Amino acid sequence: SARDGVLYNKSKSKLVKIPEAFKKSSYSMPESVTKVAGDNSVYNCSKIQNFTISKGFEGNLRKLNTLPKLSTITVAQGNTDYVAEDGILYDAAQTKLVCWPSAKKSQTITLPDTLKSLNVDQLPTSVVTLTIPKNMESIYSNNTDFTYYPKRYPLNALENLSTIAVAEGNTNFVVEGGGLYNAKKTVCYGIPMKTAVTEVAIAEGVEGIYSQLLAGHKTITKLTLSSTVKGVNNYYTDIFGGNDGLESLTEYVVSEKNPVLKAVDGVLYSLDGKNLYCYPIAKAGSAFVIPDEVENVYNNA
């Protein structure tokens, strides 16, 4: 069946498809709708600014954030699965952010203390300052899953982020050296893309550094690797070279207790000196002599 140009099943209990060129700026689900037929039932509708969810709706709305002009989401009174605050959609208990409207641009994000899980893909790319709320347990991004890069640094999805903070009382996350870590400092969630920090130290506890940790960070001049950093990416060993684009980097420093890496005059090597990993892009000097013990010069070194 069709109503106002939108396709439903015959009983209007399921929303099948809102046309992508749907002409109205507002859409309100009929009271009878409880589910959508699939993720693409609501996808890329270019003119919808206001979206209202029906009282009985209990399905998923994973593609709601593809509506480019969406500014306000409303939930009908009595819905037990969703709630909207200031036009932003959460689950009923406000433990998960479901959709931040695409056209609702904000530089400073305030999230409810009850939030436990955050997919940063749902946040606007305009965000500059982000505070991890008190009860949050999980932060992730689906957009950082590249072919060869693991889903490891969700902050990379926020291209304008300059400041990350953790609310008082949160025991799951900590900020150190401008980066976000789990409480044990064994997992790094990234360093804000637009950070003003010029010297970054990888926290004690982190063992692996993977591609894209510092991708696009143009202000970092000094990178210190802790004693626990034992390796770089299993597949790509040039993450400190051209691929991460640390165009201002002048110096590496490595803890004397590190069992596999060392830095000599700011240049990064394996501890035995056989592998030259990276000569910093912005290091001063017009000449460089590769030491005699070096056997392998890595890609983009």
Side-chain angles (χ1 to χ4, degrees):
S1 64
R3 174 178 170 179
D4 296 330
V6 178
L7 187 65
Y8 304 90
N9 66 339
K10 194 66 177 177
S11 64
K12 291 190 178 70
S13 63
K14 185 180 294 185
L15 168 61
V16 177
K17 181 67 176 176
I18 303 175
E20 292 184 25
F22 186 67
K23 295 181 179 181
K24 296 182 179 180
S25 62
S26 295
Y27 169 78
S28 183
M29 281 183 182
E31 290 185 5
S32 56
V33 171
T34 60
K35 296 183 184 298
V36 292
D39 286 349
N40 289 329
S41 297
V42 179
Y43 178 76
N44 203 31
C45 303
S46 58
K47 292 182 173 61
I48 294 178
Q49 300 176 25
N50 307 297
F51 194 100
T52 299
I53 297 170
S54 66
K55 177 181 178 179
F57 185 78
E58 57 185 19
N60 75 73
L61 290 166
R62 281 189 283 263
K63 299 287 186 171
L64 195 56
N65 66 345
T66 65
L67 277 56
K69 292 187 178 180
L70 186 65
S71 59
T72 303
I73 301 170
T74 304
V75 178
Q77 188 173 1
N79 187 295
T80 57
D81 284 69
Y82 294 101
V83 64
E85 292 289 342
D86 193 28
I88 302 161
L89 186 64
Y90 301 90
D91 66 339
Q94 294 191 43
T95 60
K96 182 178 182 179
L97 172 63
V98 178
C99 181
W100 189 291
S102 300
K104 190 178 181 67
K105 304 299 183 183
S106 301
Q107 291 190 336
T108 300
I109 298 295
T110 301
L111 297 168
D113 284 342
T114 52
L115 200 72
K116 291 185 176 181
S117 176
L118 175 64
N119 179 357
V120 295
D121 300 338
Q122 297 289 357
L123 297 177
T125 56
S126 59
V127 59
V128 172
T129 301
L130 175 64
T131 298
I132 303 299
K134 180 179 179 181
N135 293 306
M136 200 167 84
E137 301 172 353
S138 171
I139 181 171
Y140 64 97
S141 166
N142 294 326
N143 289 341
T144 56
D145 186 13
F146 301 103
T147 303
Y148 299 107
Y149 306 143
K151 289 187 282 189
R152 198 165 291 261
Y153 305 118
L155 294 190
N156 284 4
L158 301 174
E159 58 191 39
N160 291 300
L161 188 68
S162 64
T163 304
I164 185 75
V166 176
E168 185 177 356
N170 186 297
T171 59
N172 299 306
F173 298 93
V174 63
V175 172
E176 182 173 304
L180 180 67
Y181 297 87
N182 63 344
K184 294 181 179 179
K185 299 178 188 174
T186 56
V187 177
C188 180
Y189 298 96
I191 295 169
M193 296 288 283
K194 299 293 186 182
T195 181
V197 175
T198 58
E199 297 186 2
V200 169
I202 304 301
E204 290 284 342
V206 174
E207 293 188 0
I209 298 177
Y210 295 80
S211 294
Q212 305 295 301
L213 170 61
L214 301 168
H217 291 72
K218 301 183 183 301
T219 62
I220 297 173
T221 60
K222 180 179 179 181
L223 180 60
T224 299
L225 305 180
S226 66
S227 66
T228 56
V229 175
K230 295 180 180 178
V232 291
N233 194 308
N234 292 332
Y235 304 101
Y236 290 87
T237 52
D238 61 349
I239 57 175
F240 298 118
N243 274 10
D244 265 5
L246 296 175
E247 60 188 45
S248 298
L249 191 68
T250 62
E251 178 185 12
Y252 288 99
V253 176
V254 179
S255 167
E256 293 181 356
K257 297 180 181 180
N258 191 294
V260 294
L261 299 171
K262 70 177 180 180
V264 179
D265 193 25
V267 181
L268 186 65
Y269 301 88
S270 59
L271 186 62
D272 59 12
K274 292 182 179 181
N275 302 299
L276 169 56
Y277 290 132
C278 189
Y279 183 100
I281 296 174
K283 181 176 169 59
S286 58
F288 174 62
V289 178
I290 297 177
D292 288 342
E293 62 266 30
V294 171
E295 297 178 1
N296 306 298
V297 178
Y298 279 79
N299 190 27
N300 284 332

